[in-house]
Amino acid sequence: MTEAAAPSTVAQALAAAMALGIDRLDAQLLLLHALGRPVNDRAWLLAHDTGPFPGEAWPAFARQLSRRTAGEPVAYLLGEKEFHGLQLQVDARVLVPRPDTETLVEWALACLASPDSRPAPRVLDLGTGSGAIALALQHARPDAQVDAVDASADALAVARANAQRLGLPVRFTESSWLDGAADGYAVIASNPPYIAAGDPHLPALRHEPTRALVAGADGLDDIRQIVRDAPAHLADGGWLLLEHGHDQAEAVRRLLAERGFAEVQSRDDLAGIARCSGGIWRAVK
């Protein structure tokens, strides 16, 4: 790819990317990045499509295109991903934050805004990865005490760097799920691994960390553990909220109900698919 003749205009560079089968939006983002432009400045491309494409930018752009055609996420190539209004730095140490996970954030914020919620609530994000959920909650609720855990030291390095850059005082701990966690949380939220081992979609996710994706034969091993252990760490009236697979809502609701959670329900993602389920824990039944 790098040996091909460099395009002479911005429009030709974009066409070269799309000719490789790269989605137009992805191609635009990578082109802006190669030109040193902000990735949200797509209007600039339209205004300068006949403008010259600098030849010195071509080798790096061509390498990015090759990596994208090999399936590497655009967020890794750009080194950043927007989530709930925050620009997060991401790389192959963490999953790419998905827009659908904003459903979980919005639900958590609604729980924290309920009439019976306490001031300065305590919130826990399990398996924080890049810190997306914890940082979004802390940004929206500066009064909250937000904790976040992850078993991966590499992931926590990414999350801590994001928190420092954004100036958000989330407290991070290296831990496996609720091991050693405090108690009294108003909300425990998690986007845990939920893909079944051997799932046919896994090859498409090969560039992202497998340990953050796969959870046993049916994809529910980690969710089972969280549902089992969460009550000991929730305040009376606290909520456990879980993201899960597109076909797992009924199974997750069943796990929550069997554990004794009340008001068990699911929320739909942007595509109208039930992708988050949760329930409230009441000490007195």
Side-chain angles (χ1 to χ4, degrees):
M1 183 72 190
T2 56
E3 297 176 356
S8 58
T9 67
V10 170
Q12 288 176 358
L14 182 62
M18 295 176 62
L20 295 172
I22 296 175
D23 176 81
R24 180 179 182 83
L25 175 58
D26 290 351
Q28 289 175 326
L29 296 177
L30 293 173
L31 180 55
L32 286 165
H33 183 69
L35 294 172
R37 305 288 308 181
V39 294
N40 58 358
D41 197 10
R42 291 165 60 201
W44 184 91
L45 291 177
L46 297 175
H48 296 82
D49 63 340
T50 59
F53 181 81
E56 64 272 16
W58 174 244
F61 183 49
R63 286 193 294 272
Q64 296 283 70
L65 297 180
S66 295
R67 291 170 65 185
R68 181 65 190 125
T69 56
E72 194 166 347
V74 171
Y76 290 170
L77 302 179
L78 301 177
E80 61 182 27
K81 177 69 173 181
E82 190 273 337
F83 181 83
H84 210 263
L86 300 176
Q87 205 68 28
L88 302 177
Q89 293 179 348
V90 297
D91 57 37
R93 292 174 290 178
V94 296
L95 293 182
V96 176
R98 266 68 168 182
D100 288 337
T101 302
E102 295 187 7
T103 301
L104 190 69
V105 172
E106 291 297 331
W107 192 359
L109 290 173
C111 293
L112 295 174
S114 65
D116 57 351
S117 63
R118 304 172 184 177
R122 301 182 64 199
V123 183
L124 177 61
D125 172 23
L126 295 175
T128 194
S130 64
I133 293 170
L135 294 169
L137 293 173
Q138 186 73 83
H139 182 256
R141 287 293 303 264
D143 62 316
Q145 176 185 308
V146 181
D147 298 329
V149 304
D150 203 292
S152 167
D154 285 341
L156 287 174
V158 175
R160 287 190 175 109
N162 279 322
Q164 183 175 11
R165 184 173 49 82
L166 295 168
L168 295 169
V170 173
R171 305 189 309 181
F172 296 98
T173 302
E174 185 177 344
S175 177
S176 177
W177 301 126
L178 288 151
D179 290 351
D183 54 20
Y185 288 105
V187 171
I188 296 177
S190 182
N191 177 19
Y194 53 72
I195 299 178
D199 187 285
H201 298 96
L202 280 173
L205 300 169
R206 64 189 178 279
H207 293 280
E208 298 186 69
T210 302
R211 66 183 296 182
L213 293 167
V214 178
D218 63 357
L220 294 173
D221 282 3
D222 291 311
I223 288 177
R224 287 190 186 93
Q225 182 176 343
I226 294 169
V227 171
R228 182 193 70 206
D229 296 342
H233 304 276
L234 285 166
D236 186 23
W239 283 85
L240 174 61
L241 308 178
L242 299 162
E243 183 170 335
H244 49 68
H246 68 93
D247 57 352
Q248 294 173 330
E250 184 177 353
V252 175
R253 289 196 303 267
R254 186 183 309 114
L255 289 171
L256 289 162
E258 290 174 350
R259 184 62 179 87
F261 283 86
E263 300 182 35
V264 173
Q265 57 195 276
S266 297
R267 295 288 176 93
D268 291 349
D269 64 12
L270 300 174
I273 299 169
R275 287 292 297 271
C276 298
S277 296
I280 192 168
W281 183 258
R282 301 204 182 278
V284 178
K285 304 299 182 184

